[in-house]
PDB file of all heavy atoms in Angstrom:
ATOM      1  N   ILE A   1      -4.523   3.158  -3.348  1.00  0.00           N
ATOM      2  CA  ILE A   1      -4.544   4.298  -2.405  1.00  0.00           C
ATOM      3  C   ILE A   1      -5.928   4.934  -2.227  1.00  0.00           C
ATOM      4  O   ILE A   1      -6.101   5.783  -1.393  1.00  0.00           O
ATOM      5  CB  ILE A   1      -3.469   5.338  -2.657  1.00  0.00           C
ATOM      6  CG1 ILE A   1      -3.610   6.025  -3.961  1.00  0.00           C
ATOM      7  CG2 ILE A   1      -2.014   4.828  -2.463  1.00  0.00           C
ATOM      8  CD1 ILE A   1      -2.729   7.103  -4.276  1.00  0.00           C
ATOM      9  N   ASP A   2      -6.882   4.621  -3.041  1.00  0.00           N
ATOM     10  CA  ASP A   2      -8.137   5.225  -3.126  1.00  0.00           C
ATOM     11  C   ASP A   2      -9.165   4.382  -2.302  1.00  0.00           C
ATOM     12  O   ASP A   2     -10.319   4.793  -2.045  1.00  0.00           O
ATOM     13  CB  ASP A   2      -8.655   5.432  -4.487  1.00  0.00           C
ATOM     14  CG  ASP A   2      -8.798   4.054  -5.355  1.00  0.00           C
ATOM     15  OD1 ASP A   2      -8.091   3.159  -4.841  1.00  0.00           O
ATOM     16  OD2 ASP A   2      -9.465   4.034  -6.333  1.00  0.00           O
ATOM     17  N   ILE A   3      -8.711   3.317  -1.691  1.00  0.00           N
ATOM     18  CA  ILE A   3      -9.624   2.500  -0.741  1.00  0.00           C
ATOM     19  C   ILE A   3      -8.677   2.238   0.553  1.00  0.00           C
ATOM     20  O   ILE A   3      -7.512   2.280   0.555  1.00  0.00           O
ATOM     21  CB  ILE A   3     -10.033   1.224  -1.324  1.00  0.00           C
ATOM     22  CG1 ILE A   3      -8.899   0.316  -1.735  1.00  0.00           C
ATOM     23  CG2 ILE A   3     -11.005   1.496  -2.463  1.00  0.00           C
ATOM     24  CD1 ILE A   3      -9.305  -1.032  -2.289  1.00  0.00           C
ATOM     25  N   ASP A   4      -9.340   1.967   1.616  1.00  0.00           N
ATOM     26  CA  ASP A   4      -8.683   1.638   2.848  1.00  0.00           C
ATOM     27  C   ASP A   4      -8.036   0.260   2.645  1.00  0.00           C
ATOM     28  O   ASP A   4      -8.687  -0.767   2.258  1.00  0.00           O
ATOM     29  CB  ASP A   4      -9.586   1.533   3.978  1.00  0.00           C
ATOM     30  CG  ASP A   4     -10.091   2.873   4.357  1.00  0.00           C
ATOM     31  OD1 ASP A   4      -9.316   3.815   4.156  1.00  0.00           O
ATOM     32  OD2 ASP A   4     -11.263   2.976   4.905  1.00  0.00           O
ATOM     33  N   PRO A   5      -6.703   0.165   3.024  1.00  0.00           N
ATOM     34  CA  PRO A   5      -6.088  -1.138   2.923  1.00  0.00           C
ATOM     35  C   PRO A   5      -6.802  -2.100   3.945  1.00  0.00           C
ATOM     36  O   PRO A   5      -7.256  -1.726   4.889  1.00  0.00           O
ATOM     37  CB  PRO A   5      -4.644  -0.879   3.288  1.00  0.00           C
ATOM     38  CG  PRO A   5      -4.545   0.485   3.704  1.00  0.00           C
ATOM     39  CD  PRO A   5      -5.866   1.223   3.429  1.00  0.00           C
ATOM     40  N   ARG A   6      -6.558  -3.412   3.622  1.00  0.00           N
ATOM     41  CA  ARG A   6      -7.151  -4.432   4.464  1.00  0.00           C
ATOM     42  C   ARG A   6      -6.105  -5.162   5.270  1.00  0.00           C
ATOM     43  O   ARG A   6      -6.251  -6.268   5.554  1.00  0.00           O
ATOM     44  CB  ARG A   6      -8.073  -5.433   3.591  1.00  0.00           C
ATOM     45  CG  ARG A   6      -9.230  -4.674   3.031  1.00  0.00           C
ATOM     46  CD  ARG A   6     -10.280  -5.742   2.514  1.00  0.00           C
ATOM     47  NE  ARG A   6     -11.507  -4.916   2.185  1.00  0.00           N
ATOM     48  CZ  ARG A   6     -11.821  -4.599   0.915  1.00  0.00           C
ATOM     49  NH1 ARG A   6     -10.917  -4.951  -0.043  1.00  0.00           N
ATOM     50  NH2 ARG A   6     -12.834  -3.961   0.669  1.00  0.00           N
ATOM     51  N   PHE A   7      -5.076  -4.549   5.683  1.00  0.00           N
ATOM     52  CA  PHE A   7      -4.028  -5.043   6.407  1.00  0.00           C
ATOM     53  C   PHE A   7      -3.489  -3.954   7.286  1.00  0.00           C
ATOM     54  O   PHE A   7      -3.556  -2.808   6.979  1.00  0.00           O
ATOM     55  CB  PHE A   7      -2.961  -5.815   5.512  1.00  0.00           C
ATOM     56  CG  PHE A   7      -2.217  -4.814   4.556  1.00  0.00           C
ATOM     57  CD1 PHE A   7      -1.094  -4.194   4.886  1.00  0.00           C
ATOM     58  CD2 PHE A   7      -2.736  -4.788   3.271  1.00  0.00           C
ATOM     59  CE1 PHE A   7      -0.526  -3.347   4.105  1.00  0.00           C
ATOM     60  CE2 PHE A   7      -2.111  -3.966   2.276  1.00  0.00           C
ATOM     61  CZ  PHE A   7      -0.965  -3.208   2.776  1.00  0.00           C
ATOM     62  N   SER A   8      -2.772  -4.383   8.335  1.00  0.00           N
ATOM     63  CA  SER A   8      -2.167  -3.433   9.243  1.00  0.00           C
ATOM     64  C   SER A   8      -0.570  -3.214   9.028  1.00  0.00           C
ATOM     65  O   SER A   8      -0.131  -4.101   8.435  1.00  0.00           O
ATOM     66  CB  SER A   8      -2.467  -3.763  10.762  1.00  0.00           C
ATOM     67  OG  SER A   8      -1.767  -4.953  10.963  1.00  0.00           O
ATOM     68  N   ALA A   9      -0.084  -2.324   9.731  1.00  0.00           N
ATOM     69  CA  ALA A   9       1.400  -2.212   9.625  1.00  0.00           C
ATOM     70  C   ALA A   9       2.072  -3.416  10.253  1.00  0.00           C
ATOM     71  O   ALA A   9       3.096  -3.838   9.769  1.00  0.00           O
ATOM     72  CB  ALA A   9       1.843  -0.909  10.347  1.00  0.00           C
ATOM     73  N   GLU A  10       1.535  -3.969  11.301  1.00  0.00           N
ATOM     74  CA  GLU A  10       2.124  -5.179  11.874  1.00  0.00           C
ATOM     75  C   GLU A  10       2.048  -6.346  10.983  1.00  0.00           C
ATOM     76  O   GLU A  10       2.929  -7.155  10.957  1.00  0.00           O
ATOM     77  CB  GLU A  10       1.399  -5.427  13.231  1.00  0.00           C
ATOM     78  CG  GLU A  10       1.960  -6.640  14.034  1.00  0.00           C
ATOM     79  CD  GLU A  10       3.456  -6.427  14.292  1.00  0.00           C
ATOM     80  OE1 GLU A  10       3.865  -5.324  14.473  1.00  0.00           O
ATOM     81  OE2 GLU A  10       4.088  -7.535  14.317  1.00  0.00           O
ATOM     82  N   GLN A  11       0.967  -6.428  10.346  1.00  0.00           N
ATOM     83  CA  GLN A  11       0.696  -7.634   9.289  1.00  0.00           C
ATOM     84  C   GLN A  11       1.721  -7.428   8.174  1.00  0.00           C
ATOM     85  O   GLN A  11       2.354  -8.369   7.687  1.00  0.00           O
ATOM     86  CB  GLN A  11      -0.698  -7.630   8.769  1.00  0.00           C
ATOM     87  CG  GLN A  11      -1.718  -8.152   9.813  1.00  0.00           C
ATOM     88  CD  GLN A  11      -3.121  -7.975   9.267  1.00  0.00           C
ATOM     89  OE1 GLN A  11      -3.570  -6.908   8.786  1.00  0.00           O
ATOM     90  NE2 GLN A  11      -3.836  -9.080   9.493  1.00  0.00           N
ATOM     91  N   ALA A  12       1.965  -6.164   7.711  1.00  0.00           N
ATOM     92  CA  ALA A  12       2.978  -5.906   6.661  1.00  0.00           C
ATOM     93  C   ALA A  12       4.394  -6.273   7.165  1.00  0.00           C
ATOM     94  O   ALA A  12       5.213  -6.862   6.431  1.00  0.00           O
ATOM     95  CB  ALA A  12       2.883  -4.353   6.232  1.00  0.00           C
ATOM     96  N   ARG A  13       4.631  -5.802   8.407  1.00  0.00           N
ATOM     97  CA  ARG A  13       5.954  -6.211   8.939  1.00  0.00           C
ATOM     98  C   ARG A  13       6.248  -7.684   9.012  1.00  0.00           C
ATOM     99  O   ARG A  13       7.268  -8.182   8.614  1.00  0.00           O
ATOM    100  CB  ARG A  13       6.066  -5.596  10.363  1.00  0.00           C
ATOM    101  CG  ARG A  13       7.447  -5.809  11.036  1.00  0.00           C
ATOM    102  CD  ARG A  13       7.464  -5.769  12.539  1.00  0.00           C
ATOM    103  NE  ARG A  13       6.608  -6.876  13.135  1.00  0.00           N
ATOM    104  CZ  ARG A  13       6.776  -8.136  13.239  1.00  0.00           C
ATOM    105  NH1 ARG A  13       7.928  -8.654  12.774  1.00  0.00           N
ATOM    106  NH2 ARG A  13       5.896  -8.927  13.777  1.00  0.00           N
ATOM    107  N   ALA A  14       5.232  -8.434   9.481  1.00  0.00           N
ATOM    108  CA  ALA A  14       5.305  -9.811   9.647  1.00  0.00           C
ATOM    109  C   ALA A  14       5.459 -10.539   8.359  1.00  0.00           C
ATOM    110  O   ALA A  14       6.276 -11.458   8.082  1.00  0.00           O
ATOM    111  CB  ALA A  14       4.149 -10.428  10.301  1.00  0.00           C
ATOM    112  N   ALA A  15       4.805  -9.987   7.259  1.00  0.00           N
ATOM    113  CA  ALA A  15       4.799 -10.607   5.958  1.00  0.00           C
ATOM    114  C   ALA A  15       6.049 -10.330   5.150  1.00  0.00           C
ATOM    115  O   ALA A  15       6.552 -11.284   4.540  1.00  0.00           O
ATOM    116  CB  ALA A  15       3.635 -10.038   5.163  1.00  0.00           C
ATOM    117  N   PHE A  16       6.665  -9.174   5.275  1.00  0.00           N
ATOM    118  CA  PHE A  16       7.642  -8.794   4.227  1.00  0.00           C
ATOM    119  C   PHE A  16       9.016  -8.547   4.911  1.00  0.00           C
ATOM    120  O   PHE A  16      10.079  -8.414   4.239  1.00  0.00           O
ATOM    121  CB  PHE A  16       7.321  -7.483   3.419  1.00  0.00           C
ATOM    122  CG  PHE A  16       6.018  -7.781   2.659  1.00  0.00           C
ATOM    123  CD1 PHE A  16       4.854  -7.035   2.922  1.00  0.00           C
ATOM    124  CD2 PHE A  16       5.962  -8.690   1.720  1.00  0.00           C
ATOM    125  CE1 PHE A  16       3.715  -7.230   2.162  1.00  0.00           C
ATOM    126  CE2 PHE A  16       4.899  -8.971   0.885  1.00  0.00           C
ATOM    127  CZ  PHE A  16       3.772  -8.169   1.258  1.00  0.00           C
ATOM    128  N   SER A  17       9.154  -8.401   6.247  1.00  0.00           N
ATOM    129  CA  SER A  17      10.386  -8.141   6.801  1.00  0.00           C
ATOM    130  C   SER A  17      11.416  -9.324   6.512  1.00  0.00           C
ATOM    131  O   SER A  17      11.185 -10.585   6.575  1.00  0.00           O
ATOM    132  CB  SER A  17      10.406  -8.043   8.384  1.00  0.00           C
ATOM    133  OG  SER A  17       9.813  -6.854   8.654  1.00  0.00           O
ATOM    134  N   GLY A  18      12.634  -8.908   6.170  1.00  0.00           N
ATOM    135  CA  GLY A  18      13.677  -9.908   5.806  1.00  0.00           C
ATOM    136  C   GLY A  18      13.554 -10.480   4.486  1.00  0.00           C
ATOM    137  O   GLY A  18      14.511 -11.259   4.044  1.00  0.00           O
ATOM    138  N   CYS A  19      12.700 -10.056   3.588  1.00  0.00           N
ATOM    139  CA  CYS A  19      12.663 -10.581   2.296  1.00  0.00           C
ATOM    140  C   CYS A  19      13.741 -10.015   1.396  1.00  0.00           C
ATOM    141  O   CYS A  19      14.407  -9.003   1.657  1.00  0.00           O
ATOM    142  CB  CYS A  19      11.296 -10.462   1.656  1.00  0.00           C
ATOM    143  SG  CYS A  19      10.792  -8.717   1.157  1.00  0.00           S
ATOM    144  N   GLU A  20      14.039 -10.663   0.240  1.00  0.00           N
ATOM    145  CA  GLU A  20      15.095 -10.179  -0.622  1.00  0.00           C
ATOM    146  C   GLU A  20      14.746  -8.825  -1.433  1.00  0.00           C
ATOM    147  O   GLU A  20      15.367  -7.946  -1.495  1.00  0.00           O
ATOM    148  CB  GLU A  20      15.458 -11.242  -1.647  1.00  0.00           C
ATOM    149  CG  GLU A  20      16.664 -10.981  -2.512  1.00  0.00           C
ATOM    150  CD  GLU A  20      16.979 -12.062  -3.440  1.00  0.00           C
ATOM    151  OE1 GLU A  20      16.975 -13.241  -2.877  1.00  0.00           O
ATOM    152  OE2 GLU A  20      17.227 -11.856  -4.568  1.00  0.00           O
ATOM    153  N   SER A  21      13.443  -8.885  -1.946  1.00  0.00           N
ATOM    154  CA  SER A  21      12.985  -7.755  -2.713  1.00  0.00           C
ATOM    155  C   SER A  21      11.377  -7.537  -2.427  1.00  0.00           C
ATOM    156  O   SER A  21      10.728  -8.510  -2.374  1.00  0.00           O
ATOM    157  CB  SER A  21      13.301  -7.816  -4.197  1.00  0.00           C
ATOM    158  OG  SER A  21      12.585  -8.767  -4.811  1.00  0.00           O
ATOM    159  N   LEU A  22      11.087  -6.275  -2.513  1.00  0.00           N
ATOM    160  CA  LEU A  22       9.706  -5.874  -2.367  1.00  0.00           C
ATOM    161  C   LEU A  22       9.401  -4.815  -3.307  1.00  0.00           C
ATOM    162  O   LEU A  22       9.975  -3.752  -3.241  1.00  0.00           O
ATOM    163  CB  LEU A  22       9.319  -5.465  -0.880  1.00  0.00           C
ATOM    164  CG  LEU A  22       7.952  -4.906  -0.648  1.00  0.00           C
ATOM    165  CD1 LEU A  22       6.846  -6.009  -0.941  1.00  0.00           C
ATOM    166  CD2 LEU A  22       7.812  -4.497   0.721  1.00  0.00           C
ATOM    167  N   GLU A  23       8.403  -5.029  -4.309  1.00  0.00           N
ATOM    168  CA  GLU A  23       8.067  -4.111  -5.349  1.00  0.00           C
ATOM    169  C   GLU A  23       6.690  -3.744  -5.017  1.00  0.00           C
ATOM    170  O   GLU A  23       5.713  -4.592  -4.963  1.00  0.00           O
ATOM    171  CB  GLU A  23       8.200  -4.738  -6.725  1.00  0.00           C
ATOM    172  CG  GLU A  23       7.851  -3.830  -7.822  1.00  0.00           C
ATOM    173  CD  GLU A  23       7.926  -4.418  -9.176  1.00  0.00           C
ATOM    174  OE1 GLU A  23       8.654  -5.483  -9.314  1.00  0.00           O
ATOM    175  OE2 GLU A  23       7.243  -4.057 -10.089  1.00  0.00           O
ATOM    176  N   ILE A  24       6.343  -2.425  -4.762  1.00  0.00           N
ATOM    177  CA  ILE A  24       5.033  -1.988  -4.509  1.00  0.00           C
ATOM    178  C   ILE A  24       4.607  -1.059  -5.689  1.00  0.00           C
ATOM    179  O   ILE A  24       5.330  -0.106  -5.994  1.00  0.00           O
ATOM    180  CB  ILE A  24       5.035  -1.151  -3.188  1.00  0.00           C
ATOM    181  CG1 ILE A  24       5.503  -1.983  -1.973  1.00  0.00           C
ATOM    182  CG2 ILE A  24       3.702  -0.645  -2.951  1.00  0.00           C
ATOM    183  CD1 ILE A  24       5.756  -1.281  -0.705  1.00  0.00           C
ATOM    184  N   GLU A  25       3.486  -1.513  -6.314  1.00  0.00           N
ATOM    185  CA  GLU A  25       2.950  -0.666  -7.328  1.00  0.00           C
ATOM    186  C   GLU A  25       1.781  -0.050  -6.782  1.00  0.00           C
ATOM    187  O   GLU A  25       0.900  -0.610  -6.482  1.00  0.00           O
ATOM    188  CB  GLU A  25       2.541  -1.493  -8.576  1.00  0.00           C
ATOM    189  CG  GLU A  25       2.155  -0.751  -9.710  1.00  0.00           C
ATOM    190  CD  GLU A  25       1.925  -1.495 -10.964  1.00  0.00           C
ATOM    191  OE1 GLU A  25       2.527  -2.565 -11.036  1.00  0.00           O
ATOM    192  OE2 GLU A  25       1.062  -0.989 -11.744  1.00  0.00           O
ATOM    193  N   VAL A  26       1.795   1.305  -6.682  1.00  0.00           N
ATOM    194  CA  VAL A  26       0.729   2.121  -6.193  1.00  0.00           C
ATOM    195  C   VAL A  26      -0.316   2.524  -7.286  1.00  0.00           C
ATOM    196  O   VAL A  26       0.133   3.029  -8.354  1.00  0.00           O
ATOM    197  CB  VAL A  26       1.293   3.462  -5.507  1.00  0.00           C
ATOM    198  CG1 VAL A  26       0.173   4.315  -4.986  1.00  0.00           C
ATOM    199  CG2 VAL A  26       2.319   3.056  -4.432  1.00  0.00           C
ATOM    200  N   ARG A  27      -1.506   2.317  -7.090  1.00  0.00           N
ATOM    201  CA  ARG A  27      -2.567   2.634  -7.992  1.00  0.00           C
ATOM    202  C   ARG A  27      -3.669   3.322  -7.396  1.00  0.00           C
ATOM    203  O   ARG A  27      -3.915   3.240  -6.276  1.00  0.00           O
ATOM    204  CB  ARG A  27      -3.114   1.270  -8.686  1.00  0.00           C
ATOM    205  CG  ARG A  27      -2.073   0.640  -9.527  1.00  0.00           C
ATOM    206  CD  ARG A  27      -2.704  -0.395 -10.324  1.00  0.00           C
ATOM    207  NE  ARG A  27      -1.821  -1.013 -11.229  1.00  0.00           N
ATOM    208  CZ  ARG A  27      -2.024  -1.954 -12.075  1.00  0.00           C
ATOM    209  NH1 ARG A  27      -3.207  -2.486 -12.024  1.00  0.00           N
ATOM    210  NH2 ARG A  27      -1.008  -2.400 -12.764  1.00  0.00           N
ATOM    211  N   GLN A  28      -4.415   3.966  -8.281  1.00  0.00           N
ATOM    212  CA  GLN A  28      -5.509   4.745  -7.886  1.00  0.00           C
ATOM    213  C   GLN A  28      -6.570   4.646  -9.004  1.00  0.00           C
ATOM    214  O   GLN A  28      -6.221   5.036 -10.173  1.00  0.00           O
ATOM    215  CB  GLN A  28      -5.189   6.202  -7.580  1.00  0.00           C
ATOM    216  CG  GLN A  28      -6.333   7.131  -7.486  1.00  0.00           C
ATOM    217  CD  GLN A  28      -5.819   8.566  -7.327  1.00  0.00           C
ATOM    218  OE1 GLN A  28      -4.681   8.877  -6.930  1.00  0.00           O
ATOM    219  NE2 GLN A  28      -6.623   9.595  -7.705  1.00  0.00           N
ATOM    220  N   SER A  29      -7.833   4.119  -8.717  1.00  0.00           N
ATOM    221  CA  SER A  29      -8.794   4.017  -9.748  1.00  0.00           C
ATOM    222  C   SER A  29      -9.722   5.142  -9.950  1.00  0.00           C
ATOM    223  O   SER A  29     -10.399   5.326 -10.805  1.00  0.00           O
ATOM    224  CB  SER A  29      -9.507   2.650  -9.691  1.00  0.00           C
ATOM    225  OG  SER A  29     -10.289   2.690  -8.509  1.00  0.00           O
ATOM    226  N   SER A  30      -9.852   5.865  -8.747  1.00  0.00           N
ATOM    227  CA  SER A  30     -10.859   7.043  -8.807  1.00  0.00           C
ATOM    228  C   SER A  30     -10.089   8.326  -9.267  1.00  0.00           C
ATOM    229  O   SER A  30      -8.868   8.546  -9.210  1.00  0.00           O
ATOM    230  CB  SER A  30     -11.428   7.265  -7.405  1.00  0.00           C
ATOM    231  OG  SER A  30     -10.402   7.633  -6.486  1.00  0.00           O
ATOM    232  N   TRP A  31     -10.903   9.231  -9.755  1.00  0.00           N
ATOM    233  CA  TRP A  31     -10.319  10.527 -10.148  1.00  0.00           C
ATOM    234  C   TRP A  31     -10.162  11.399  -8.891  1.00  0.00           C
ATOM    235  O   TRP A  31     -10.795  11.221  -7.833  1.00  0.00           O
ATOM    236  CB  TRP A  31     -11.377  11.227 -11.049  1.00  0.00           C
ATOM    237  CG  TRP A  31     -11.418  10.607 -12.419  1.00  0.00           C
ATOM    238  CD1 TRP A  31     -12.342   9.748 -12.811  1.00  0.00           C
ATOM    239  CD2 TRP A  31     -10.465  10.683 -13.447  1.00  0.00           C
ATOM    240  NE1 TRP A  31     -12.170   9.287 -13.969  1.00  0.00           N
ATOM    241  CE2 TRP A  31     -11.043   9.791 -14.472  1.00  0.00           C
ATOM    242  CE3 TRP A  31      -9.375  11.336 -13.651  1.00  0.00           C
ATOM    243  CZ2 TRP A  31     -10.404   9.707 -15.647  1.00  0.00           C
ATOM    244  CZ3 TRP A  31      -8.712  11.183 -14.868  1.00  0.00           C
ATOM    245  CH2 TRP A  31      -9.211  10.402 -15.841  1.00  0.00           C
ATOM    246  N   GLY A  32      -9.269  12.345  -8.888  1.00  0.00           N
ATOM    247  CA  GLY A  32      -8.984  13.159  -7.791  1.00  0.00           C
ATOM    248  C   GLY A  32      -7.636  12.833  -7.176  1.00  0.00           C
ATOM    249  O   GLY A  32      -6.868  12.099  -7.580  1.00  0.00           O
ATOM    250  N   ASP A  33      -7.522  13.521  -6.108  1.00  0.00           N
ATOM    251  CA  ASP A  33      -6.131  13.487  -5.483  1.00  0.00           C
ATOM    252  C   ASP A  33      -6.264  12.640  -4.180  1.00  0.00           C
ATOM    253  O   ASP A  33      -6.960  12.974  -3.223  1.00  0.00           O
ATOM    254  CB  ASP A  33      -5.700  14.907  -4.986  1.00  0.00           C
ATOM    255  CG  ASP A  33      -4.249  14.933  -4.671  1.00  0.00           C
ATOM    256  OD1 ASP A  33      -3.552  14.028  -5.018  1.00  0.00           O
ATOM    257  OD2 ASP A  33      -3.924  15.907  -3.924  1.00  0.00           O
ATOM    258  N   CYS A  34      -5.493  11.533  -4.086  1.00  0.00           N
ATOM    259  CA  CYS A  34      -5.501  10.641  -2.909  1.00  0.00           C
ATOM    260  C   CYS A  34      -4.089  10.685  -2.427  1.00  0.00           C
ATOM    261  O   CYS A  34      -3.189  10.527  -3.229  1.00  0.00           O
ATOM    262  CB  CYS A  34      -5.810   9.243  -3.333  1.00  0.00           C
ATOM    263  SG  CYS A  34      -7.483   9.082  -3.784  1.00  0.00           S
ATOM    264  N   PRO A  35      -3.891  10.897  -1.128  1.00  0.00           N
ATOM    265  CA  PRO A  35      -2.534  11.017  -0.687  1.00  0.00           C
ATOM    266  C   PRO A  35      -1.874   9.551  -0.570  1.00  0.00           C
ATOM    267  O   PRO A  35      -2.621   8.644  -0.157  1.00  0.00           O
ATOM    268  CB  PRO A  35      -2.651  11.598   0.737  1.00  0.00           C
ATOM    269  CG  PRO A  35      -3.995  11.385   1.129  1.00  0.00           C
ATOM    270  CD  PRO A  35      -4.811  11.341  -0.222  1.00  0.00           C
ATOM    271  N   VAL A  36      -0.693   9.430  -0.952  1.00  0.00           N
ATOM    272  CA  VAL A  36      -0.056   8.111  -0.907  1.00  0.00           C
ATOM    273  C   VAL A  36       0.653   7.816   0.429  1.00  0.00           C
ATOM    274  O   VAL A  36       0.815   6.685   0.744  1.00  0.00           O
ATOM    275  CB  VAL A  36       0.907   8.000  -2.151  1.00  0.00           C
ATOM    276  CG1 VAL A  36       2.211   8.874  -1.904  1.00  0.00           C
ATOM    277  CG2 VAL A  36       1.395   6.600  -2.418  1.00  0.00           C
ATOM    278  N   GLU A  37       0.956   8.835   1.122  1.00  0.00           N
ATOM    279  CA  GLU A  37       1.693   8.664   2.411  1.00  0.00           C
ATOM    280  C   GLU A  37       0.998   7.700   3.376  1.00  0.00           C
ATOM    281  O   GLU A  37       1.694   6.846   3.980  1.00  0.00           O
ATOM    282  CB  GLU A  37       2.036  10.025   3.049  1.00  0.00           C
ATOM    283  CG  GLU A  37       2.965  10.892   2.268  1.00  0.00           C
ATOM    284  CD  GLU A  37       2.369  11.670   1.183  1.00  0.00           C
ATOM    285  OE1 GLU A  37       1.102  11.757   1.031  1.00  0.00           O
ATOM    286  OE2 GLU A  37       3.119  12.166   0.290  1.00  0.00           O
ATOM    287  N   PRO A  38      -0.239   7.828   3.653  1.00  0.00           N
ATOM    288  CA  PRO A  38      -0.882   6.869   4.560  1.00  0.00           C
ATOM    289  C   PRO A  38      -0.794   5.441   4.155  1.00  0.00           C
ATOM    290  O   PRO A  38      -0.517   4.548   5.097  1.00  0.00           O
ATOM    291  CB  PRO A  38      -2.279   7.341   4.608  1.00  0.00           C
ATOM    292  CG  PRO A  38      -2.385   8.768   4.213  1.00  0.00           C
ATOM    293  CD  PRO A  38      -1.230   8.859   3.245  1.00  0.00           C
ATOM    294  N   ALA A  39      -0.942   5.140   2.928  1.00  0.00           N
ATOM    295  CA  ALA A  39      -0.892   3.849   2.517  1.00  0.00           C
ATOM    296  C   ALA A  39       0.629   3.263   2.527  1.00  0.00           C
ATOM    297  O   ALA A  39       0.892   2.106   3.053  1.00  0.00           O
ATOM    298  CB  ALA A  39      -1.281   3.677   0.990  1.00  0.00           C
ATOM    299  N   LEU A  40       1.621   4.147   2.168  1.00  0.00           N
ATOM    300  CA  LEU A  40       3.010   3.681   2.261  1.00  0.00           C
ATOM    301  C   LEU A  40       3.458   3.620   3.772  1.00  0.00           C
ATOM    302  O   LEU A  40       4.424   2.854   4.083  1.00  0.00           O
ATOM    303  CB  LEU A  40       3.839   4.536   1.452  1.00  0.00           C
ATOM    304  CG  LEU A  40       3.726   4.400  -0.007  1.00  0.00           C
ATOM    305  CD1 LEU A  40       4.600   5.314  -0.784  1.00  0.00           C
ATOM    306  CD2 LEU A  40       3.953   2.967  -0.508  1.00  0.00           C
ATOM    307  N   ALA A  41       2.839   4.398   4.637  1.00  0.00           N
ATOM    308  CA  ALA A  41       3.187   4.310   6.047  1.00  0.00           C
ATOM    309  C   ALA A  41       3.009   2.837   6.725  1.00  0.00           C
ATOM    310  O   ALA A  41       3.611   2.622   7.646  1.00  0.00           O
ATOM    311  CB  ALA A  41       2.423   5.358   6.766  1.00  0.00           C
TER     312      ALA A  41
END
């Protein structure tokens, strides 16, 4: 969440819609407060 993702919401939809399970591990390597909502959106 501390860097801009290199995929779009449409790419995520095409990749993972209809799968059996999806596990997302959220990480942040920099210090400070990074909002998680934009990445999960």
Side-chain angles (χ1 to χ4, degrees):
I1 60 172
D2 56 343
I3 59 173
D4 290 332
R6 295 195 171 101
F7 59 89
S8 68
E10 183 57 34
Q11 290 170 313
R13 183 204 58 77
F16 300 118
S17 285
C19 70
E20 184 178 319
S21 70
L22 176 59
E23 180 181 335
I24 302 171
E25 185 172 335
V26 180
R27 289 196 178 172
Q28 166 185 338
S29 63
S30 66
W31 295 98
D33 189 23
C34 293
V36 71
E37 291 82 11
L40 291 179

